[in-house]
Amino acid sequence: MNILIVHAHPESKSFSGALRDTAADFFKSSNCNVAISDLYSMNFNPVGSPRDLKETSTVEYFDYQKEQLYGIKNNLLTDEIKNEMAKFLKADLIIYNFPLWWFSVPAIMKGWFDRVFAMGFAYGPGKGVYSTGTFRNKTSFLCITTGGAEFSYKESGVNGDINKILFHVNHGMLNFVGMKVLPPFVVYGPSTFTEEEKKSKLIEYRNYLSKLNNIKPLFY
Amino acid sequence: MNILIVHAHPESKSFSGALRDTAADFFKSSNCNVAISDLYSMNFNPVGSPRDLKETSTVEYFDYQKEQLYGIKNNLLTDEIKNEMAKFLKADLIIYNFPLWWFSVPAIMKGWFDRVFAMGFAYGPGKGVYSTGTFRNKTSFLCITTGGAEFSYKESGVNGDINKILFHVNHGMLNFVGMKVLPPFVVYGPSTFTEEEKKSKLIEYRNYLSKLNNIKPLFY
């Protein structure tokens, strides 16, 4: 199995970083190949723009999707994007590992989707979406840390159901391109954890990882 | 009335740009003050990091929220962030104007929320959320263009209900800080529009803007 962990946290020693390391160690010790895209340490540029290409087809009007298609057809995407596409293509399982910021992924990870899931690569002419999506042979899930407590992310909680919040990512980004999407592994409020609680949560995560094949995917 | 339009599109001549200009013209001709944060033309940096501050409280461990609080208390946030905060504070109505990318705002706008809605500014010690949020005296709404057709954004459509998709923005970003949130103005698939259809949609937008006071806010 080939694993890709796309990680986005400005502090490598954060609990999100510990979850990244736990997954990497678990899969390495299971004889899998593990690649990590640590977006902050890569200084990944999240801004989709003409600079995605070495040269655009025109300078008159920037039509992002048309230029993405043109860039793929003519091998003009920048190496930063091509490298991420290659890592993604090789992976059977992709874990998106991040702190929940404003009910979504940090901007640096949003830009990963904007730029790497280009038209012509992840969807577009000749490619389906959802159940006929391009990446039906891949599985993915979100591994998240939150600031707020678990009760605030229930349907009756002040923030609303965590799955409702994550719909735009699970459905709109991961499932859109055909991937099987497993339920997110969510760690609520790790900043309040004792060392014991941290250790116990990482063990829980290893257990989750060891049972991935038996976990029912989300459906919409 | 003071209006702020936060705009994010890599092509200024796009239909999203025409919507930005339509709103700016409408409000100027109604004797309002109009400010625009055109994030692409500002080359806005969307990546929340220690560089949000001229100097962080420590280099040992970057706790983003703690550093945001520290930065506000000690006036150490960078001018890019302070300028956006000042524009936002002055505004009675804030319009977020963007193309829907991957069921959400473009990364450059996500970073506006990550960095400008800092702890200590938009929420945090002494500040409430939602109905007790800090910015209860402000109104906001999303003005969006999509690639897909309207039927695909219905509850029965392949993408799901547009309001379900936008929940993380309307509820989690705008309403979270207390703002009144009006229903989004959504333009489905303008890339297929004739010139006549474009004109007619911009007239529809002016009508929407002229009736803002009578439009019922969204509730969650």
Coordinates of all heavy atoms in Angstrom, one line a residue, chain A residues 139-218:
Chain A
T139 N -8.8 5.7 -1.5 CA -9.6 5.9 -0.2 C -9.0 7.1 0.5 O -7.8 7.3 0.4 CB -9.5 4.6 0.7 OG1 -10.1 3.6 -0.1 CG2 -10.3 4.8 2.0
S140 N -9.8 7.9 1.2 CA -9.2 9.0 1.9 C -10.1 9.3 3.1 O -11.2 8.8 3.3 CB -9.2 10.2 1.0 OG -10.5 10.7 0.7
F141 N -9.5 10.0 4.1 CA -10.2 10.5 5.2 C -9.5 11.7 5.8 O -8.3 11.9 5.6 CB -10.5 9.4 6.3 CG -9.3 9.0 7.0 CD1 -8.9 9.6 8.2 CD2 -8.5 7.9 6.6 CE1 -7.8 9.2 8.9 CE2 -7.4 7.5 7.3 CZ -7.0 8.1 8.4
L142 N -10.3 12.4 6.6 CA -9.7 13.6 7.3 C -9.3 13.2 8.7 O -10.0 12.5 9.4 CB -10.8 14.7 7.4 CG -11.5 15.1 6.1 CD1 -12.6 16.2 6.3 CD2 -10.5 15.5 5.0
C143 N -8.1 13.7 9.2 CA -7.7 13.6 10.6 C -7.6 15.0 11.1 O -6.7 15.8 10.7 CB -6.4 12.8 10.6 SG -5.8 12.7 12.3
I144 N -8.5 15.4 12.1 CA -8.7 16.8 12.4 C -8.4 17.0 13.9 O -8.8 16.2 14.7 CB -10.1 17.2 12.1 CG1 -10.4 17.0 10.6 CG2 -10.4 18.6 12.6 CD1 -11.8 17.2 10.3
T145 N -7.9 18.1 14.3 CA -8.0 18.6 15.6 C -8.9 19.9 15.7 O -8.9 20.6 14.7 CB -6.6 19.0 16.2 OG1 -6.0 20.0 15.3 CG2 -5.7 17.8 16.3
T146 N -9.6 20.0 16.8 CA -10.4 21.2 16.9 C -10.0 22.0 18.2 O -9.3 21.5 19.0 CB -11.9 20.8 17.1 OG1 -12.1 20.3 18.4 CG2 -12.4 19.8 16.1
G147 N -10.5 23.3 18.2 CA -10.3 24.1 19.4 C -11.4 23.8 20.4 O -11.2 23.5 21.6
G148 N -12.7 23.7 19.9 CA -13.8 23.5 20.7 C -14.0 22.1 21.2 O -13.4 21.1 20.7
A149 N -14.9 21.9 22.2 CA -15.2 20.6 22.8 C -16.2 19.8 21.9 O -16.9 20.4 21.1 CB -15.8 20.8 24.2
E150 N -16.2 18.5 22.2 CA -17.0 17.6 21.4 C -18.5 18.0 21.4 O -19.2 18.0 20.3 CB -16.9 16.2 21.9 CG -17.6 15.2 21.0 CD -17.1 13.7 21.2 OE1 -16.3 13.5 22.1 OE2 -17.6 12.9 20.4
F151 N -19.0 18.4 22.5 CA -20.5 18.7 22.6 C -20.9 19.8 21.7 O -22.0 19.9 21.2 CB -21.0 18.9 24.0 CG -20.4 20.2 24.7 CD1 -20.9 21.4 24.5 CD2 -19.2 20.1 25.5 CE1 -20.4 22.6 25.0 CE2 -18.7 21.2 26.0 CZ -19.3 22.5 25.8
S152 N -20.0 20.8 21.4 CA -20.3 21.9 20.6 C -20.4 21.5 19.1 O -20.9 22.3 18.3 CB -19.3 23.0 20.7 OG -18.0 22.6 20.3
Y153 N -19.9 20.3 18.8 CA -20.0 19.8 17.4 C -21.0 18.7 17.2 O -20.9 17.9 16.3 CB -18.6 19.3 16.9 CG -17.6 20.4 16.8 CD1 -16.6 20.7 17.8 CD2 -17.6 21.3 15.6 CE1 -15.7 21.7 17.6 CE2 -16.7 22.3 15.5 CZ -15.7 22.5 16.5 OH -14.8 23.5 16.4
K154 N -22.0 18.7 18.1 CA -23.1 17.8 17.9 C -24.2 18.5 17.2 O -24.2 19.8 17.1 CB -23.7 17.3 19.3 CG -22.6 16.5 20.1 CD -22.4 15.1 19.5 CE -21.5 14.3 20.4 NZ -21.1 13.1 19.8
E155 N -25.2 17.8 16.6 CA -26.3 18.5 15.9 C -27.0 19.5 16.8 O -27.4 20.6 16.4 CB -27.3 17.4 15.5 CG -28.5 18.0 14.7 CD -28.1 18.7 13.4 OE1 -27.3 18.2 12.7 OE2 -28.7 19.8 13.2
S156 N -27.1 19.2 18.1 CA -27.7 20.1 19.1 C -26.7 21.2 19.6 O -27.0 22.1 20.4 CB -28.2 19.3 20.3 OG -27.2 18.6 20.9
G157 N -25.4 21.0 19.3 CA -24.4 21.9 19.8 C -24.4 23.3 19.1 O -25.0 23.4 18.0
V158 N -23.6 24.2 19.6 CA -23.6 25.6 19.1 C -23.0 25.6 17.7 O -23.5 26.4 16.8 CB -22.9 26.5 20.1 CG1 -21.4 26.2 20.1 CG2 -23.2 28.0 19.7
N159 N -22.1 24.8 17.4 CA -21.5 24.8 16.0 C -22.2 24.0 15.0 O -22.0 24.2 13.8 CB -20.0 24.3 16.1 CG -19.1 25.3 16.9 OD1 -19.3 26.5 16.9 ND2 -18.2 24.7 17.7
G160 N -23.0 23.0 15.5 CA -23.7 22.1 14.6 C -22.8 20.8 14.3 O -21.7 20.8 14.7
D161 N -23.5 19.8 13.8 CA -22.9 18.5 13.6 C -21.6 18.6 12.7 O -21.6 19.2 11.7 CB -24.0 17.6 12.8 CG -23.5 16.2 12.5 OD1 -22.4 15.9 13.0 OD2 -24.2 15.5 11.8
I162 N -20.6 18.0 13.2 CA -19.3 18.0 12.6 C -19.3 17.5 11.1 O -18.7 18.0 10.2 CB -18.2 17.2 13.4 CG1 -16.8 17.4 12.8 CG2 -18.5 15.7 13.5 CD1 -16.1 18.7 13.1
N163 N -20.2 16.5 10.9 CA -20.3 16.0 9.5 C -21.0 16.9 8.6 O -20.7 16.9 7.4 CB -21.0 14.6 9.5 CG -20.1 13.5 10.0 OD1 -19.0 13.4 9.6 ND2 -20.5 12.8 11.1
K164 N -21.9 17.8 9.1 CA -22.5 18.8 8.3 C -21.5 19.9 8.0 O -21.4 20.4 6.9 CB -23.6 19.4 9.2 CG -24.7 20.1 8.5 CD -25.9 20.3 9.5 CE -26.7 21.6 9.2 NZ -27.7 21.8 10.2
I165 N -20.6 20.2 9.0 CA -19.5 21.2 8.7 C -18.6 20.7 7.7 O -18.1 21.4 6.8 CB -18.8 21.4 10.1 CG1 -19.7 22.1 11.1 CG2 -17.5 22.2 9.8 CD1 -19.2 22.1 12.5
L166 N -18.3 19.4 7.7 CA -17.2 18.8 6.8 C -17.8 18.4 5.5 O -17.0 17.9 4.6 CB -16.5 17.6 7.5 CG -15.8 18.0 8.8 CD1 -15.2 16.7 9.4 CD2 -14.6 19.0 8.5
F167 N -19.1 18.5 5.3 CA -19.7 18.1 4.0 C -19.0 18.7 2.8 O -18.8 18.0 1.8 CB -21.2 18.6 4.0 CG -21.9 18.4 2.8 CD1 -22.4 17.1 2.4 CD2 -22.2 19.4 1.9 CE1 -23.1 16.9 1.2 CE2 -23.0 19.2 0.7 CZ -23.4 17.9 0.4
H168 N -18.6 20.0 2.9 CA -18.0 20.6 1.7 C -16.6 20.0 1.4 O -16.2 20.0 0.2 CB -17.8 22.1 1.9 CG -16.8 22.5 2.9 ND1 -17.0 22.3 4.3 CD2 -15.6 23.2 2.8 CE1 -15.9 22.8 4.9 NE2 -15.1 23.3 4.0
V169 N -16.0 19.4 2.4 CA -14.7 18.7 2.1 C -14.9 17.3 1.7 O -14.5 16.8 0.7 CB -13.7 18.8 3.4 CG1 -12.4 18.2 3.0 CG2 -13.6 20.2 3.9
N170 N -15.6 16.5 2.6 CA -15.8 15.1 2.3 C -16.6 14.8 1.0 O -16.2 13.9 0.3 CB -16.6 14.5 3.5 CG -15.7 14.2 4.7 OD1 -14.5 13.9 4.5 ND2 -16.3 14.3 5.9
H171 N -17.6 15.6 0.8 CA -18.4 15.4 -0.4 C -17.9 16.2 -1.6 O -17.7 15.6 -2.6 CB -19.9 15.9 -0.1 CG -20.8 15.9 -1.2 ND1 -21.3 14.7 -1.8 CD2 -21.4 16.9 -1.9 CE1 -22.1 15.1 -2.8 NE2 -22.2 16.4 -2.9
G172 N -17.6 17.5 -1.3 CA -17.3 18.4 -2.4 C -15.8 18.3 -2.9 O -15.5 18.7 -4.1
M173 N -14.9 17.8 -2.1 CA -13.5 17.7 -2.6 C -13.1 16.2 -2.7 O -12.7 15.8 -3.8 CB -12.6 18.4 -1.6 CG -12.9 19.8 -1.4 SD -11.8 20.7 -0.2 CE -12.9 22.1 0.3
L174 N -13.3 15.4 -1.7 CA -12.9 14.0 -1.7 C -13.8 13.1 -2.5 O -13.3 12.4 -3.4 CB -12.7 13.4 -0.3 CG -11.9 14.3 0.7 CD1 -11.7 13.6 2.0 CD2 -10.6 14.7 0.1
N175 N -15.1 13.1 -2.2 CA -16.0 12.2 -3.0 C -16.2 12.7 -4.4 O -16.4 11.9 -5.3 CB -17.3 12.1 -2.2 CG -18.2 11.0 -2.7 OD1 -19.3 11.2 -3.0 ND2 -17.6 9.8 -2.9
F176 N -16.1 14.0 -4.6 CA -16.3 14.6 -6.0 C -15.4 13.9 -7.0 O -15.8 13.6 -8.1 CB -16.1 16.1 -5.9 CG -16.4 16.8 -7.2 CD1 -17.6 17.4 -7.5 CD2 -15.4 17.0 -8.2 CE1 -17.9 18.0 -8.7 CE2 -15.7 17.6 -9.4 CZ -16.9 18.2 -9.6
V177 N -14.2 13.7 -6.6 CA -13.2 13.1 -7.6 C -13.3 11.5 -7.5 O -12.5 10.9 -8.2 CB -11.8 13.6 -7.3 CG1 -11.7 15.1 -7.5 CG2 -11.3 13.1 -6.0
G178 N -14.3 11.0 -6.8 CA -14.5 9.6 -6.9 C -14.0 8.8 -5.7 O -14.3 7.6 -5.6
M179 N -13.2 9.4 -4.8 CA -12.6 8.6 -3.7 C -13.6 8.1 -2.8 O -14.6 8.8 -2.5 CB -11.6 9.5 -3.0 CG -10.3 9.8 -3.8 SD -8.9 10.4 -2.8 CE -9.4 12.1 -2.6
K180 N -13.3 7.0 -2.2 CA -14.1 6.4 -1.1 C -13.7 7.3 0.1 O -12.5 7.5 0.4 CB -13.7 5.0 -0.9 CG -14.6 4.2 0.0 CD -14.0 2.9 0.4 CE -13.8 1.9 -0.8 NZ -13.3 0.6 -0.3
V181 N -14.7 7.8 0.9 CA -14.4 8.7 2.0 C -14.8 8.0 3.3 O -15.9 7.7 3.5 CB -15.1 10.0 1.9 CG1 -14.7 11.0 3.0 CG2 -14.9 10.6 0.5
L182 N -13.8 7.8 4.2 CA -14.1 7.2 5.5 C -14.4 8.3 6.5 O -14.1 9.4 6.3 CB -12.9 6.4 6.0 CG -12.4 5.3 5.1 CD1 -11.2 4.6 5.7 CD2 -13.5 4.3 4.7
P183 N -15.1 7.9 7.6 CA -15.5 8.9 8.6 C -14.2 9.6 9.1 O -13.2 8.9 9.2 CB -16.2 8.1 9.7 CG -16.5 6.8 9.1 CD -15.6 6.6 8.0
P184 N -14.3 10.9 9.4 CA -13.1 11.6 9.9 C -12.7 11.1 11.3 O -13.5 10.6 12.1 CB -13.6 13.0 10.0 CG -15.0 13.0 10.2 CD -15.5 11.8 9.4
F185 N -11.4 11.1 11.6 CA -10.9 10.9 12.9 C -10.7 12.3 13.5 O -9.9 13.1 13.1 CB -9.6 10.2 12.9 CG -9.1 9.8 14.3 CD1 -9.6 8.6 14.9 CD2 -8.2 10.6 15.0 CE1 -9.2 8.2 16.2 CE2 -7.8 10.2 16.3 CZ -8.3 9.0 16.9
V186 N -11.6 12.6 14.5 CA -11.6 14.0 15.1 C -11.1 14.0 16.5 O -11.6 13.2 17.3 CB -13.0 14.6 15.0 CG1 -13.0 16.0 15.4 CG2 -13.6 14.4 13.6
V187 N -10.1 14.8 16.8 CA -9.7 15.0 18.2 C -10.1 16.4 18.7 O -9.7 17.4 18.2 CB -8.1 14.9 18.2 CG1 -7.7 15.1 19.7 CG2 -7.6 13.6 17.6
Y188 N -11.1 16.3 19.6 CA -11.7 17.6 20.1 C -10.8 18.2 21.2 O -10.6 17.6 22.2 CB -13.1 17.3 20.6 CG -14.0 16.8 19.5 CD1 -14.3 15.5 19.3 CD2 -14.6 17.8 18.7 CE1 -15.2 15.1 18.3 CE2 -15.5 17.3 17.7 CZ -15.8 16.0 17.5 OH -16.6 15.6 16.5
G189 N -10.4 19.4 21.0 CA -9.7 20.2 22.1 C -8.4 19.6 22.7 O -8.3 19.6 23.9
P190 N -7.5 19.1 21.8 CA -6.3 18.5 22.4 C -5.4 19.5 23.2 O -4.6 19.1 24.0 CB -5.5 18.1 21.1 CG -6.0 18.9 20.0 CD -7.5 19.1 20.3
S191 N -5.7 20.8 23.0 CA -4.9 21.8 23.8 C -5.1 21.7 25.3 O -4.4 22.2 26.1 CB -5.2 23.2 23.3 OG -6.5 23.6 23.6
T192 N -6.3 21.0 25.7 CA -6.6 20.9 27.1 C -6.1 19.5 27.6 O -6.4 19.2 28.8 CB -8.1 21.0 27.3 OG1 -8.7 19.9 26.7 CG2 -8.7 22.3 26.7
F193 N -5.5 18.7 26.7 CA -5.2 17.3 27.1 C -4.0 17.3 28.1 O -3.0 18.0 28.0 CB -4.8 16.5 25.9 CG -5.9 16.0 25.1 CD1 -7.2 16.4 25.3 CD2 -5.7 15.1 24.0 CE1 -8.3 16.0 24.5 CE2 -6.7 14.7 23.2 CZ -8.0 15.1 23.5
T194 N -4.0 16.3 29.0 CA -2.9 15.9 29.8 C -2.0 15.0 28.9 O -2.4 14.6 27.9 CB -3.3 15.1 31.1 OG1 -3.9 13.9 30.6 CG2 -4.2 15.9 32.0
E195 N -0.7 14.8 29.4 CA 0.1 13.9 28.6 C -0.5 12.5 28.5 O -0.4 11.9 27.4 CB 1.5 13.8 29.3 CG 2.4 15.0 29.1 CD 2.6 15.5 27.7 OE1 2.9 14.6 26.8 OE2 2.3 16.7 27.4
E196 N -1.1 12.1 29.5 CA -1.8 10.7 29.5 C -2.9 10.7 28.5 O -3.0 9.7 27.7 CB -2.4 10.4 30.9 CG -1.4 9.7 31.9 CD -0.6 8.6 31.2 OE1 -1.2 7.7 30.7 OE2 0.6 8.7 31.2
E197 N -3.7 11.8 28.4 CA -4.8 11.8 27.5 C -4.2 11.9 26.0 O -4.8 11.3 25.1 CB -5.7 13.1 27.7 CG -6.6 12.9 29.0 CD -7.3 14.2 29.4 OE1 -6.6 15.3 29.2 OE2 -8.4 14.1 29.9
K198 N -3.1 12.6 25.8 CA -2.5 12.6 24.5 C -2.1 11.2 24.1 O -2.4 10.8 23.0 CB -1.3 13.5 24.5 CG -1.7 15.0 24.5 CD -0.4 15.9 24.4 CE -0.8 17.4 24.6 NZ 0.4 18.3 24.7
K199 N -1.4 10.5 25.0 CA -0.9 9.2 24.7 C -2.1 8.3 24.3 O -2.1 7.5 23.4 CB -0.2 8.6 25.9 CG 1.3 8.9 25.9 CD 2.0 8.2 27.1 CE 3.2 9.0 27.4 NZ 3.7 8.6 28.8
S200 N -3.1 8.4 25.1 CA -4.3 7.5 24.9 C -5.0 7.8 23.6 O -5.5 6.9 22.9 CB -5.2 7.6 26.2 OG -6.5 7.7 25.8
K201 N -5.1 9.1 23.2 CA -5.7 9.4 21.9 C -4.9 8.9 20.8 O -5.4 8.5 19.8 CB -5.9 10.9 21.9 CG -6.7 11.5 20.7 CD -8.1 10.9 20.6 CE -9.1 11.5 21.6 NZ -10.4 10.9 21.4
L202 N -3.5 8.9 20.9 CA -2.7 8.4 19.8 C -2.8 6.9 19.7 O -2.8 6.4 18.5 CB -1.2 8.8 20.0 CG -1.0 10.4 19.9 CD1 0.5 10.7 20.2 CD2 -1.4 10.9 18.6
I203 N -3.1 6.2 20.8 CA -3.3 4.8 20.7 C -4.7 4.5 20.0 O -4.8 3.6 19.2 CB -3.3 4.2 22.2 CG1 -1.9 4.2 22.7 CG2 -3.9 2.7 22.2 CD1 -1.7 3.8 24.2
E204 N -5.6 5.3 20.4 CA -7.0 5.2 19.7 C -6.8 5.4 18.2 O -7.5 4.7 17.4 CB -7.9 6.3 20.3 CG -9.4 6.2 20.0 CD -10.1 7.3 20.6 OE1 -9.9 7.8 21.7 OE2 -11.0 7.8 19.9
Y205 N -5.9 6.3 17.8 CA -5.7 6.6 16.4 C -5.1 5.4 15.7 O -5.5 5.0 14.6 CB -4.9 7.9 16.2 CG -4.8 8.3 14.8 CD1 -5.9 8.3 13.9 CD2 -3.6 8.9 14.3 CE1 -5.8 8.7 12.6 CE2 -3.5 9.3 12.9 CZ -4.6 9.2 12.1 OH -4.5 9.7 10.8
R206 N -4.1 4.8 16.4 CA -3.5 3.6 15.8 C -4.5 2.5 15.6 O -4.5 1.8 14.6 CB -2.4 3.1 16.7 CG -1.1 3.9 16.7 CD 0.0 3.3 17.6 NE 0.6 2.2 17.0 CZ 1.7 2.2 16.2 NH1 2.3 3.3 16.0 NH2 2.2 1.1 15.7
N207 N -5.4 2.4 16.6 CA -6.5 1.4 16.5 C -7.4 1.7 15.3 O -7.8 0.8 14.6 CB -7.4 1.3 17.8 CG -6.6 0.6 18.9 OD1 -5.7 -0.2 18.7 ND2 -7.0 0.9 20.1
Y208 N -7.7 2.9 15.1 CA -8.6 3.4 14.0 C -7.8 3.0 12.7 O -8.5 2.4 11.8 CB -8.8 4.9 14.1 CG -9.6 5.5 12.9 CD1 -10.9 5.6 12.9 CD2 -8.9 5.9 11.8 CE1 -11.7 6.1 11.9 CE2 -9.6 6.5 10.7 CZ -11.0 6.6 10.8 OH -11.7 7.1 9.7
L209 N -6.5 3.2 12.6 CA -5.8 2.9 11.4 C -5.7 1.4 11.1 O -5.7 1.0 10.0 CB -4.4 3.5 11.5 CG -4.3 5.0 11.6 CD1 -2.8 5.5 11.9 CD2 -4.8 5.7 10.3
S210 N -5.6 0.7 12.2 CA -5.5 -0.8 12.0 C -6.8 -1.4 11.6 O -6.8 -2.6 11.1 CB -5.1 -1.4 13.3 OG -6.1 -1.4 14.3
K211 N -7.9 -0.7 11.6 CA -9.2 -1.3 11.3 C -9.8 -0.6 10.0 O -11.0 -0.7 9.8 CB -10.2 -1.1 12.5 CG -9.9 -2.1 13.6 CD -10.7 -1.8 14.8 CE -10.2 -2.5 16.0 NZ -10.6 -1.8 17.3
L212 N -9.0 0.2 9.3 CA -9.5 1.0 8.2 C -10.4 0.1 7.2 O -11.4 0.6 6.7 CB -8.4 1.6 7.4 CG -7.7 2.8 8.0 CD1 -6.7 3.4 7.1 CD2 -8.8 3.9 8.5
N213 N -9.9 -1.1 7.0 CA -10.6 -2.0 6.0 C -12.1 -2.3 6.4 O -12.9 -2.7 5.6 CB -9.9 -3.2 5.7 CG -8.6 -3.0 4.9 OD1 -8.5 -2.0 4.2 ND2 -7.6 -3.8 5.1
N214 N -12.3 -2.2 7.7 CA -13.6 -2.6 8.2 C -14.5 -1.4 8.5 O -15.6 -1.6 9.0 CB -13.5 -3.4 9.6 CG -12.6 -4.6 9.4 OD1 -12.7 -5.3 8.4 ND2 -11.7 -4.8 10.3
I215 N -14.0 -0.2 8.2 CA -14.8 1.0 8.5 C -15.7 1.3 7.3 O -15.2 1.4 6.1 CB -13.9 2.2 8.9 CG1 -13.2 1.8 10.2 CG2 -14.7 3.5 9.0 CD1 -12.2 2.9 10.6
K216 N -17.0 1.5 7.5 CA -17.9 1.8 6.5 C -17.7 3.2 6.0 O -17.7 4.2 6.7 CB -19.4 1.7 7.0 CG -20.1 0.5 6.5 CD -21.5 0.4 7.1 CE -22.5 1.2 6.2 NZ -23.9 0.9 6.7
P217 N -17.6 3.4 4.6 CA -17.4 4.8 4.1 C -18.7 5.6 4.3 O -19.8 5.1 4.5 CB -17.2 4.5 2.6 CG -17.0 3.1 2.4 CD -17.6 2.4 3.6
L218 N -18.5 6.9 4.3 CA -19.6 7.9 4.3 C -20.3 7.9 3.0 O -19.7 7.6 1.9 CB -19.0 9.3 4.5 CG -18.3 9.6 5.8 CD1 -17.7 11.0 5.8 CD2 -19.2 9.5 7.1

